[in-house]
Amino acid sequence: PLVRCLQNGSVISRTGAAGLWLAGQALLQRGSPFTSAPLLFCLQGYEGLVEGGENIKRANWLSVSNIIQLGGTIIGSARCKAFTTREGRLLAACNLVQHGITNLCVIGGDGSLTGANIFRTEWGGLLEELVKDGKITEEVAKKYCHLNIVGLVGSIDNDFCGTDMTIGTDSALHRIMEVIDAITTTAQSHQRTFVLEVMGRHCGYLALVSALASGADWLFIPEAPPEDGWEDFMCARLGETRSRGSRLNIIIIAEGAIDRNGKPISSSYVKDLVVQRLGFDTRVTVLGHVQRGGTPSAFDRVLSSKMGMEAVMALLEATPDTPACVVSLSGNQSVRLPLMECVQVTKEVQKAMDEKRFEEAIQLRGSAPGTRALPAAAVCADWCCLSPFRQTHFSLAILNVGAPAAGMNAAVRSAVRIGISQGHTVYVVNDGFEGLSKGQVHLSCLTAAGGRHRHLLLSLHRTLPKTSMEKIVENVRKFNIHGLLVVGGFEGGVQLVEARGQYEELCIVMCVIPATISNNVPGTDFSLGCDTAVNAAMESCDRIKQSASGTKRRVFIVETMGGYCGYLSTVTGIAVGADAAYVYEDPFTIHDLKANVEHLTEKMKTDIQRGLVLRNEKCHEHYTTEFLYNLYSSEGRGIFDCRINVLGHLQQGGAPTPFDRNYGTKLGVKAMLWMSEKLQEAYRKGRVFANSADSACVIGLRKKTVAFSPVTELKKVTDFEHRLPQEQWWLNLRLMLKMLANYQISLTEYISGKMEHVTRRTLSIEKGF
């Protein structure tokens, strides 16, 4: 079989074809039975397929080198009316047969994928017609009697049912948050209200997530039209926020927003409403196609590479009986879904909205936007914490522990507001456990939007509780604290639980929100802050690669943070197209280093005369960054020279990414609601006594569901010497890293995605984020 790349539909902020081609070329160079089969690009999507000729051209390894950091698509994309007709598809079939194409990968939206499935269904009839017209022989028709199709979903709207995230969505969110951060500055300075219109004609995902991540005051999305009389309610709430001293208001509206009667709600209408009723200085900003451009985010680069690799494997494993499938993301795993099942459910969403069955439309969306995200958005708005639902007798304290991690503010903010809305007394503690031991406990009065701040609302400290346990216990008793929410360190939670047998005051409800850029906390696939750290490292490496464009034959050795955990190095390596990434979990020897040097030596003989090697800071006791520099410099003398870059603490700084803002917000909400439930269970005879294992947990995202894992259970699967979980899912990505760097590796370890199905039942299951 021959692997082909085809992209159709809207331009996406990700070079999806790059991941597909690199994975395919690596497969073909590994001694597979398909080594004689070429790969081809089809330029300009279906238009190029119909026109043929120079639009279908041979690709090679260099064709996709140094493009992973580019937005859009190097092979072009165009809408094609001709392909919607049988005559157009007949021309496309003729062009495919002439080039010997029997496998096709389509990167696009539901329209593009639907067209691909129709093309596949008609394939036999199209070949018969070509034989009848004398354009091909019966032998040729028999040889190419079956067409395999695999789809990849490229859409910034994240409106395709069956996948947690579509290619391009995360990058679009990055563009939106950059604009919101910039607008917030001027809004605060001039005391203005801004109405931001984002894309989303039929899906409000971009609007919803950006509203959660920015702490917007009001939100309009197509799936959840506001109730009648919303104008009065919105203006009243905006007025309340200003009367409490807020200097800005942010209103986010999806371009397809409608009211309950199906009438469009425009950004200009909302602006005029605010001006006329409140007299606020109000501006409208329509983001438009700026959301589709720019550099792809790290998530999109890794997602596209993973999806491309899985698409090639699906094509190679396909048989005439295999249905057309679409490669999707389920949690952190790639899966294969029947293409038309996904398309059918996606169309049912629009039908439900047209018939004003909005709640059903939200349920069919599955995890995007998700039925439980709307209450979170409402509770986190500035005005919602004014009036508690009920008053309780419970007091909770929130503190940050460990090193700074992006998203901590979002978690603290949402936890405080949910706690207040639940009727609890909420304290905040400065300087972590050290502050708790010194009595730096204050009633919460946080009103700032967590997504709008780069600095920490609560200061933190690395001190662990065992150094001052008695003073901590004394203040827990003094302030009558019944629940403790720790944002940051897992080890501190372990020490508090271990001390329960000695101190009855610590028999309270505890929850740990893992927040560390290293992503080395057990019980979760992602720690708060790691996405921002990967993007910071990726942006630095992009600049380093750019600096190499003017200097030939140069290798950069870049050191990343992460302690003993190689997550940052591995994921950043995939996102920037690194030649190697050294990590503690994947042991290497001097022979491996020698092989890497030889690999780069051969690479310098091609047109790609630069190299990038990443090293996790504690990957090896003796093979330090300086050692690698000396080794590469000595062995590459006369062929290439070396430079060292230590990224250091820049990976901890900067504005949080949309993922970390949204993730922090939702973890804070989920954690506080869980603590409220546990407090009710542990409340007996006028006091709280909680000493069971499930009363002290780590909240985390496992695949695609939120899980609360007891600290005592996680302790058993933790390597405390190296601060590592015993099992780490991302190690599976290292095979792809080596493959895309063109190393000779075996594919026997590759685990193909399973074929699953999309039904209303699977979509109704509560998922993560």
Side-chain angles (χ1 to χ4, degrees):
L2 312 180
V3 183
R4 302 293 180 257
C5 301
L6 169 69
Q7 183 162 343
N8 189 63
S10 302
V11 175
I12 56 177
S13 182
R14 174 66 183 97
T15 51
L20 178 67
W21 159 249
L22 288 173
Q25 182 69 357
L27 284 170
L28 297 178
Q29 292 192 357
R30 293 291 130 346
S32 72
F34 313 109
T35 50
S36 61
L39 284 85
L40 288 90
F41 284 146
C42 183
L43 307 182
Q44 305 307 320
Y46 287 138
E47 184 177 298
L49 200 61
V50 172
E51 295 180 358
E54 293 298 320
N55 290 303
I56 301 177
K57 69 175 187 178
R58 189 77 170 260
N60 57 51
W61 195 273
L62 296 180
S63 300
V64 291
S65 295
N66 203 32
I67 68 169
I68 197 168
Q69 73 275 10
L70 303 178
T73 165
I74 65 164
I75 61 176
S77 175
R79 300 187 184 278
C80 181
K81 290 184 178 180
F83 194 77
T84 62
T85 66
R86 183 175 175 82
E87 292 74 15
R89 293 191 290 274
L90 188 66
L91 291 173
C94 184
N95 289 325
L96 288 181
V97 170
Q98 288 176 355
H99 286 84
I101 297 174
T102 57
N103 290 274
L104 194 66
C105 181
V106 181
I107 309 174
D110 59 334
S112 303
L113 299 179
T114 301
N117 190 68
I118 294 173
F119 190 40
R120 178 180 182 273
T121 304
E122 295 179 346
W123 183 255
L126 294 173
L127 293 190
E128 290 180 3
E129 191 170 338
L130 290 174
V131 171
K132 183 178 179 181
D133 295 341
K135 295 183 179 180
I136 62 173
T137 65
E138 291 186 3
E139 290 75 15
V140 171
K142 186 176 181 180
K143 183 179 180 181
Y144 304 112
C145 62
H146 183 74
L147 178 68
N148 294 320
I149 285 182
V150 171
L152 298 181
V153 190
S155 168
I156 69 168
D157 292 333
N158 200 28
D159 57 352
F160 193 80
C161 293
T163 184
D164 291 349
M165 189 73 77
T166 57
I167 299 172
T169 301
D170 191 65
S171 297
L173 286 171
H174 275 252
R175 302 294 89 76
I176 294 172
M177 293 312 305
E178 288 168 2
V179 172
I180 291 178
D181 284 348
I183 281 177
T184 297
T185 303
T186 185
Q188 286 178 325
S189 300
H190 297 277
Q191 202 165 353
R192 284 176 176 160
T193 296
F194 271 89
V195 181
L196 274 73
E197 180 180 308
V198 302
M199 283 188 168
R201 285 178 297 172
H202 307 297
C203 181
Y205 183 85
L206 292 178
L208 174 59
V209 175
S210 57
L212 280 169
S214 64
D217 299 284
W218 210 265
L219 167 70
F220 296 95
I221 62 174
E223 294 90 341
E227 299 289 344
D228 294 339
W230 62 266
E231 293 93 341
D232 298 333
F233 192 45
M234 183 189 74
C235 290
R237 294 305 185 183
L238 294 179
E240 287 178 14
T241 61
R242 285 296 179 94
S243 66
R244 297 202 319 271
S246 174
R247 293 184 57 83
L248 79 158
N249 296 113
I250 300 292
I251 301 171
I252 295 180
I253 178 170
E255 60 181 340
I258 55 175
D259 62 19
R260 285 281 169 178
N261 300 314
K263 180 182 177 182
I265 300 176
S266 66
S267 52
S268 58
Y269 175 76
V270 174
K271 174 204 168 183
D272 293 340
L273 185 69
V274 175
V275 171
Q276 293 170 7
R277 296 201 182 185
L278 299 174
F280 293 169
D281 187 1
T282 308
R283 299 287 189 273
V284 172
T285 298
V286 180
L287 271 65
H289 283 73
V290 69
Q291 297 159 86
R292 293 189 181 274
T295 301
S297 67
F299 181 89
D300 267 334
R301 299 188 195 191
V302 176
L303 172 66
S304 298
S305 299
K306 180 187 289 189
M307 297 298 99
M309 184 173 178
E310 185 62 36
V312 172
M313 295 299 296
L315 286 170
L316 296 181
E317 296 171 4
T319 66
D321 298 326
T322 303
C325 73
V326 58
V327 178
S328 302
L329 181 71
S330 178
N332 53 28
Q333 304 295 323
S334 54
V335 297
R336 304 172 190 176
L337 304 173
L339 190 154
M340 289 315 297
E341 285 186 10
C342 298
V343 171
Q344 183 60 38
V345 176
T346 302
K347 290 182 177 180
E348 287 183 15
V349 174
Q350 187 56 49
K351 182 180 179 181
M353 291 177 61
D354 293 339
E355 297 175 357
K356 300 180 182 179
R357 293 181 281 115
F358 298 111
E359 290 188 4
E360 183 179 353
I362 291 178
Q363 292 172 356
L364 288 172
R365 284 284 187 217
S367 58
T371 55
R372 292 153 186 84
L374 294 173
V379 173
C380 290
D382 282 349
W383 47 268
C384 279
C385 62
L386 288 177
S387 302
F389 301 141
R390 62 187 182 281
Q391 198 66 45
T392 71
H393 303 289
F394 303 129
S395 299
L396 296 92
I398 303 173
L399 67 160
N400 293 337
V401 179
M408 281 182 160
N409 285 342
V412 170
R413 170 178 168 270
S414 62
V416 166
R417 291 183 171 173
I418 288 292
I420 293 175
S421 71
Q422 293 287 302
H424 307 320
T425 300
V426 181
Y427 295 102
V428 292
V429 183
N430 282 316
D431 292 337
F433 287 118
E434 182 175 315
L436 183 57
S437 69
K438 295 179 179 179
Q440 298 176 5
V441 181
H442 312 281
L443 274 174
S444 172
C445 57
L446 296 178
T447 57
R452 298 173 186 166
H453 285 264
R454 299 190 181 189
H455 61 277
L456 287 172
L457 294 175
L458 291 182
S459 57
L460 48 72
H461 205 281
R462 291 177 178 267
T463 304
L464 292 174
K466 65 180 180 180
T467 59
S468 53
M469 189 67 73
E470 292 187 357
K471 292 183 178 179
I472 289 176
V473 171
E474 180 183 337
N475 283 306
V476 168
R477 180 173 56 249
K478 175 182 176 182
F479 290 95
N480 196 27
I481 295 173
H482 304 113
L484 193 63
L485 178 60
V486 179
V487 183
F490 163 69
E491 194 171 352
V494 172
Q495 292 181 8
L496 289 178
V497 172
E498 290 176 342
R500 277 178 165 179
Q502 185 177 356
Y503 302 101
E504 185 177 326
E505 290 85 352
L506 295 180
C507 292
I508 58 177
V509 177
M510 302 181 198
C511 185
V512 176
I513 295 179
T516 167
I517 68 169
S518 303
N519 198 29
N520 61 345
V521 178
T524 183
D525 292 339
F526 296 98
S527 295
L528 195 58
C530 68
D531 186 68
T532 302
V534 169
N535 276 274
M538 178 199 73
E539 291 168 3
S540 298
C541 289
D542 281 349
R543 293 185 176 94
I544 289 170
K545 288 172 59 180
Q546 186 178 13
S547 72
S549 61
T551 306
K552 301 298 182 182
R553 297 194 296 274
R554 176 165 290 176
V555 174
F556 289 90
I557 300 174
V558 180
E559 180 185 304
T560 67
M561 296 179 73
Y564 286 98
C565 182
Y567 175 83
L568 281 180
S569 291
T570 298
V571 178
T572 302
I574 295 172
V576 300
D579 296 282
Y582 301 117
V583 301
Y584 172 79
E585 296 91 341
D586 191 0
F588 58 96
T589 65
I590 192 66
H591 301 292
D592 297 313
L593 297 177
K594 182 175 181 293
N596 296 149
V597 173
E598 292 173 350
H599 172 79
L600 284 169
T601 300
E602 290 299 314
K603 184 178 180 180
M604 296 302 163
K605 298 177 182 178
T606 69
D607 291 340
I608 317 171
Q609 297 184 350
R610 54 123 186 92
L612 183 65
V613 175
L614 300 183
R615 178 190 176 274
N616 188 58
E617 59 182 347
K618 291 186 177 181
C619 66
H620 200 283
E621 180 181 1
H622 303 295
Y623 297 150
T624 63
T625 303
E626 186 177 357
F627 175 90
L628 293 182
Y629 167 75
N630 292 330
L631 174 67
Y632 274 74
S633 297
S634 177
E635 296 297 318
R637 192 181 305 278
I639 302 174
F640 58 82
D641 63 350
C642 290
R643 294 290 187 275
I644 289 180
N645 287 272
V646 179
L647 300 184
H649 286 74
L650 68 83
Q651 294 159 92
Q652 288 183 337
T657 60
F659 177 87
D660 277 330
R661 301 187 198 201
N662 190 31
Y663 191 33
T665 297
K666 292 183 177 180
L667 287 184
V669 171
K670 292 273 188 179
M672 191 57 71
L673 292 177
W674 176 85
M675 293 181 72
S676 297
E677 181 180 334
K678 289 297 179 182
L679 285 170
Q680 292 288 350
E681 294 177 2
Y683 185 73
R684 296 183 184 88
K685 298 180 179 180
R687 57 169 293 190
V688 170
F689 184 82
N691 66 345
S692 61
D694 65 351
S695 64
C697 289
V698 172
I699 180 176
L701 186 63
R702 289 189 167 183
K703 293 189 177 178
K704 61 192 304 174
T705 58
V706 176
F708 288 88
S709 306
V711 171
T712 52
E713 295 299 319
L714 295 179
K715 180 183 174 183
K716 301 174 184 177
V717 294
T718 303
D719 176 0
F720 282 97
E721 179 184 356
H722 300 100
R723 294 191 174 185
L724 289 174
Q726 292 179 4
E727 293 184 5
Q728 301 185 85
W729 67 270
W730 55 266
L731 288 172
N732 295 329
L733 297 176
R734 292 193 58 78
L735 178 68
M736 182 171 69
L737 171 67
K738 296 173 183 177
M739 178 183 293
L740 299 185
N742 200 18
Y743 282 93
Q744 299 291 329
I745 61 172
S746 171
L747 291 174
T748 57
E749 298 179 7
Y750 182 79
I751 302 175
S752 298
K754 297 180 180 179
M755 179 68 79
E756 300 181 359
H757 293 277
V758 181
T759 64
R760 287 175 177 256
R761 185 186 66 81
T762 61
L763 291 172
S764 66
I765 297 174
E766 182 179 1
K767 302 178 179 66
F769 316 121

